[in-house]
């Protein structure tokens, strides 16, 4: 392994993040606060509790997941699309690095940014609601795995994308709906039975459920299944990226 | 001595079916400077990109320092530095970070003194804290060069390094190239400035339509293909070439002040002795005699246009 290369890519990518640190910090704080005002106050005044948990607290894991997933995807996809777009990718392609090193650098940086935002949201949320975390280590593990796997997905999107519209398309058309319908703001058990079944095909359900279990010790699906889902998803993304670099798809002519 | 770069029957067809390289075979010795000349679209950039791993060859092999560029890409690529033709740089990053990134990407440990030295040589040291977007075009090109040098390559590819670069800087570039050569670095450069190839290359390769037309020592090439002109200046101008000299195909220039004789240095007999004798016989008095050799540019134009024998 060429660890120096991994560290160089990581550092170079993080520099972009630090250049816009205020934006990176302010926007999640602002949007989280808005969610609490809208969902917590308006809806919360009617829904009071879900599965014995105060509604304001109940939506925190979903809220974090929503931001972490979209941020991981957009950071990672932009991170690799940008060099492709401005042409600096030539250096990556001609450097003595393998696909794993490139991925670790780019995806690692994107995941770090997403993690940072997740933590900011958690901190902001704790200003609005009382939060006790039942399984802190599991919470950290789920958070890390989500950052990582969605950054991997973002990396694939960034390589696939041929223009900026396509770069926005997948997150907007696929990921956001899946996350919203994945139980971010409600419990699956609140749905009519038929929707409960359909919703089980949404992979995001497993992640949010597992993450929520880490907070409140209640889950829509067994925790083991959640872990399995996220592990499988990560492996799948890695396999796709391995194939991309092996064939040079969309990066080497 | 085994070649540091060995290219064997390299072919490349792009996805649209266009064949940009039609079986290129070439050996490059360690420490030499090869200039690749060729018209736009000849395949120079394609050849370089294929060697460097940016383009996947359709067939053929390339070894760098004995390492196959596909099977053993890590070892091969760590020997190579590339200055691409297009100015591709991250606009928001500083010069220093950009160059430092390149060194790290090639797995080399941090060495600020070396980077400082490179930046100073390229007159970029004062600009190290500037962002790339604040630099002029010529400065950006130098940043590309600094990036390629930052990881101490043994083989350096310069794809039109002096395009859009002012005369002074071009001379600086040549100095840098000469220094690199002195330290044993092998250099392959493409250029459209023939005087540049003439000034710095050891060997010249000419490529057109994806095929290497020739690769030859610069000196050989110039003598082999060069034509020389002998100019005979006369003490008193004449209005017509005398009868005795008719078979020499002479041109009368400068209003009858001089006769110009064009001959091929490859010929067994240049005919100069005979000519000079006959000039004296014809009763003309010589004021001076000069020879002129055709430049590489003339040779190149002849070759590419297919006029060359
Ligand atoms: N990605 C591509 N797809 C299809 N054809 C390509 C591609 N890249 C280059 N070509 C074609 O391959 C040929 C060789 O291009 P190349 O860039 O190697 O030329 P070059 O010798 O570097 O020219 P120049 O002096 O203009 O830089 C050209 O005809 C070009 O149109
Ligand atoms: Mg070119």
């Amino acid at each position: 392994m060429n660890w120096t290369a991994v560290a160089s890519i990581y550092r170079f990518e993080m520099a972009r993040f630090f250049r816009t640190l205020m934006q990176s910090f302010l926007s999640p704080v602002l949007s989280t606060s808005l969610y609490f005002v809208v969902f917590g106050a308006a809806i919360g005044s009617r829904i009071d509790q879900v599965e014995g948990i105060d509604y304001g607290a109940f939506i925190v894991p979903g809220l974090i997941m929503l931001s972490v997933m979209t941020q991981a995807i957009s950071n990672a996809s932009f991170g690799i699309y940008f060099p492709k777009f401005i042409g600096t990718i030539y250096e990556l392609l001609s450097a003595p690095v393998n696909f794993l090193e490139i991925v670790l650098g780019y995806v690692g940086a994107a995941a770090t940014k997403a993690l940072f935002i997740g933590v900011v949201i958690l901190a902001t949320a704790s200003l609005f609601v009382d939060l006790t975390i039942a399984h802190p280590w599991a919470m950290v593990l789920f958070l890390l795995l989500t950052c990582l796997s969605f950054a991997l997905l973002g990396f694939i999107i960034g390589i696939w994308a041929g223009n900026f519209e396509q770069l926005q398309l997948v997150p907007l058309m696929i990921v956001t709906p899946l996350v919203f319908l994945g139980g971010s703001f409600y419990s699956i058990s609140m749905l009519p039975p038929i929707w409960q079944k359909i919703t089980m095909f949404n992979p995001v359900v497993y992640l949010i459920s597992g993450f929520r279990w880490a907070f409140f010790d209640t889950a829509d699906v067994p925790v083991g299944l959640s872990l399995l889902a996220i592990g499988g998803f990560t492996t799948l993304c890695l396999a796709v990226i391995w194939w991309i670099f092996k064939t040079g798809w969309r990066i080497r002519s | 001595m085994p070649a540091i770069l060995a290219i064997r029957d390299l072919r490349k067809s792009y996805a649209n079916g266009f064949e940009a390289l039609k079986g290129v075979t070439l050996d490059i010795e360690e420490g030499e400077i090869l200039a690749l000349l060729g018209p736009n679209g000849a395949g120079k950039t394609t050849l370089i990109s294929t060697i460097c791993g940016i383009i996947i060859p359709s067939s053929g092999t390339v070894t760098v320092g004995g390492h196959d560029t596909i099977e053993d890409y890590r070892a091969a690529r760590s020997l190579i530095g590339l200055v691409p033709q297009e100015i591709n740089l991250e606009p928001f990053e500083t010069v220093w970070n950009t160059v430092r990134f390149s060194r790290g990407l090639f797995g080399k440990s941090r060495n600020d003194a070396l980077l400082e030295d490179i930046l100073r040589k390229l007159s970029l040291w004062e600009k190290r804290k500037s962002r790339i977007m604040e630099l002029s075009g010529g400065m950006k090109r130098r940043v590309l060069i600094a990036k390629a040098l930052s990881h101490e390559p043994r083989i350096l590819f310069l794809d039109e390094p002096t395009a859009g670069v002012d005369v002074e800087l071009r001379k600086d570039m040549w100095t840098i190239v000469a220094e690199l050569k002195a330290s044993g670095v092998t250099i392959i450069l493409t250029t459209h400035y023939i005087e540049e190839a003439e000034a710095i290359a050891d060997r010249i390769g000419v490529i057109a339509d994806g095929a290497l037309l020739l690769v030859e020592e610069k000196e050989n090439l110039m003598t082999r293909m060069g034509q020389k002109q002998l100019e005979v200046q006369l003490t008193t101008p004449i209005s017509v070439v005398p009868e005795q000299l008719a078979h020499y195909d002479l041109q009368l220039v400068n209003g009858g002040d001089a006769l110009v004789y064009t001959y091929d240095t490859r010929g067994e007999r240049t005919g100069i002795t005979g000519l000079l004798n006959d000039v004296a016989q014809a009763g003309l008095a010589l004021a001076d005699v000069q020879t002129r050799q055709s430049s590489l540019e003339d040779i190149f134009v002849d070759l590419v246009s297919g006029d060359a024998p």
Side-chain angles (χ1 to χ4, degrees):
Chain A
M1 279 297 276
N2 184 347
W3 288 108
T4 319
V6 176
S8 292
I9 298 174
Y10 183 83
R11 196 177 325 104
F12 201 73
E13 281 299 297
M14 289 307 286
R16 201 199 315 279
F17 179 60
F18 287 120
R19 279 197 293 268
T20 54
L21 194 61
M22 261 337 255
Q23 270 155 273
S24 315
F25 179 76
L26 280 182
S27 86
V29 171
L30 192 70
S31 61
T32 310
S33 307
L34 283 173
Y35 272 112
F36 275 107
V37 172
V38 175
F39 283 84
I43 302 176
S45 64
R46 311 199 172 200
I47 308 185
D48 203 25
Q49 285 204 330
V50 177
E51 295 182 346
I53 303 154
D54 188 53
Y55 185 69
F58 180 84
I59 64 170
V60 171
L63 213 53
I64 295 175
M65 278 294 187
L66 175 65
S67 292
V68 162
M69 287 172 182
T70 46
Q71 286 289 330
I73 288 183
S74 68
N75 283 324
S77 61
F78 185 79
I80 190 68
Y81 179 75
F82 194 56
K84 241 177 45 163
F85 180 69
I86 61 173
T88 50
I89 196 162
Y90 85 86
E91 197 173 23
L92 226 43
L93 300 179
S94 62
V97 290
N98 66 15
F99 94 98
L100 205 59
E101 289 149 1
I102 296 179
V103 168
L104 275 178
Y106 279 99
V107 168
T112 309
K113 297 173 200 175
L115 184 67
F116 168 83
I117 284 159
V119 172
V120 168
I121 294 176
L122 184 60
T124 313
S126 65
L127 299 177
F128 288 86
V129 289
D130 269 342
L131 274 177
T132 44
I133 301 169
H135 310 282
W137 289 113
M139 193 277 285
V140 171
L141 180 70
F142 269 107
L143 193 58
L144 279 177
L145 281 174
T146 308
C147 290
L148 193 70
S149 58
F150 277 72
L152 284 169
L153 177 63
F155 189 86
I156 297 171
I157 294 169
I159 286 182
W160 163 79
N163 53 47
F164 277 101
E165 284 73 41
Q166 288 181 342
L167 202 61
Q168 308 287 349
L169 200 70
V170 175
L172 200 68
M173 302 296 285
I174 301 175
V175 179
T176 311
L178 282 184
V179 176
F180 265 91
L181 301 175
S184 305
F185 302 110
Y186 53 87
S187 164
I188 302 301
S189 59
M190 293 159 79
L191 297 173
I194 171 79
W195 281 104
Q196 290 193 22
K197 289 228 168 52
I198 292 174
T199 233
M200 284 302 143
F201 290 100
N202 179 353
V204 176
V205 165
Y206 300 85
L207 305 186
I208 292 181
S209 163
F211 196 47
R212 189 174 286 139
W213 170 84
F215 275 82
F216 309 120
D217 205 20
T218 69
D220 290 326
V221 293
V223 179
L225 204 57
S226 291
L227 272 176
L228 208 65
I230 196 164
F233 181 57
T234 309
T235 314
L236 181 70
C237 289
L238 269 174
V240 171
I241 296 173
W242 171 80
W243 173 84
I244 286 175
F245 276 89
K246 192 173 154 58
T247 59
W249 182 73
R250 298 229 171 187
I251 46 174
R252 282 193 171 93
S253 50
Chain B
M1 191 166 57
I4 191 160
L5 175 65
I7 305 168
R8 289 288 167 275
D9 198 27
L10 195 65
R11 286 168 195 278
K12 173 63 190 177
S13 299
Y14 280 110
N16 62 8
F18 182 80
E19 195 176 22
L21 293 178
K22 297 169 180 161
V24 172
T25 295
L26 177 63
D27 277 332
I28 292 168
E29 298 286 310
E30 181 149 20
E32 76 168 324
I33 301 181
L34 178 87
L36 270 180
L37 301 176
N40 288 139
K44 303 181 293 296
T45 301
T46 306
L47 178 62
I48 290 177
S49 304
T50 312
I51 298 168
C52 295
I54 297 163
I55 290 177
I56 304 171
S58 306
S59 69
T61 59
V62 180
T63 59
V64 176
H67 309 286
D68 187 281
T69 51
I70 291 171
E71 302 292 315
D72 198 3
Y73 65 90
R74 242 190 233 274
R77 288 185 201 164
S78 52
L79 298 174
I80 296 179
L82 168 64
V83 178
Q85 180 175 2
E86 307 284 334
I87 295 182
N88 302 318
L89 290 165
E90 158 100 42
F92 307 109
E93 206 30 280
T94 62
V95 170
W96 179 261
N97 284 347
T98 306
V99 175
R100 190 177 152 205
F101 168 75
S102 296
R103 183 170 172 84
L105 187 63
F106 277 70
K108 295 273 161 67
S109 58
R110 190 171 171 173
N111 184 345
D112 290 356
L114 176 89
L115 297 193
E116 176 172 347
D117 189 45
I118 292 170
L119 289 182
R120 282 192 189 282
K121 269 196 193 123
L122 289 161
S123 319
L124 283 171
W125 181 245
E126 311 304 319
K127 294 281 180 186
R128 66 190 179 282
K129 288 178 186 149
S130 303
R131 294 197 288 171
I132 300 289
M133 57 196 242
E134 297 158 4
L135 302 183
S136 77
M139 290 174 189
K140 286 182 193 152
R141 195 167 286 285
R142 278 180 275 162
V143 174
L144 287 178
I145 298 170
K147 277 164 77 77
L149 294 181
S150 71
H151 47 84
E152 303 163 87
R154 300 303 303 154
I155 305 184
L156 182 64
F157 289 92
L158 298 162
D159 200 350
E160 295 188 29
T162 51
V165 156
D166 65 33
V167 181
E168 193 168 338
L169 187 68
R170 202 177 299 164
K171 294 275 157 62
D172 287 353
M173 268 282 317
W174 296 357
T175 315
I176 292 171
V177 166
E179 278 178 29
L180 286 170
K181 180 187 158 74
S183 68
V185 176
T186 308
I187 295 162
I188 292 105
L189 78 129
T190 74
T191 178
H192 288 289
Y193 300 107
I194 306 212
E195 72 273 16
E196 182 161 278
E198 215 169 325
I200 58 180
D202 299 316
R203 279 202 301 165
I204 310 262
V206 177
I207 182 168
D209 273 334
L212 263 182
L213 297 183
L214 94 162
V215 186
E216 198 164 320
E217 299 288 328
K218 178 181 66 185
E219 307 299 335
N220 283 355
L221 181 67
M222 291 180 59
T223 33
R224 186 170 75 81
M225 302 201 63
Q227 292 196 314
K228 272 196 168 177
Q229 287 189 324
L230 178 76
E231 187 173 317
V232 180
Q233 283 162 10
L234 307 170
T235 41
T236 33
I238 51 171
S239 51
V240 284
V241 179
E243 213 25 53
Q244 300 101 302
L245 303 176
H247 63 283
Y248 283 109
D249 194 19
L250 298 174
Q251 280 170 280
L252 204 52
V253 297
N254 291 350
D257 252 347
L259 290 165
V260 174
Y261 172 58
T262 306
Y263 62 100
D264 204 321
T265 49
R266 282 167 302 161
E268 280 280 294
R269 300 157 58 101
T270 55
I272 297 176
T273 340
L275 172 73
L276 291 181
N277 270 331
D278 290 347
V279 168
Q281 292 277 310
L284 303 175
L286 307 188
D288 197 4
V289 174
Q290 297 186 334
T291 60
R292 262 202 310 270
Q293 178 138 28
S294 58
S295 71
L296 202 51
E297 182 148 4
D298 308 326
I299 301 172
F300 174 72
V301 170
D302 283 352
L303 246 183
V304 172
S305 62
D307 285 349

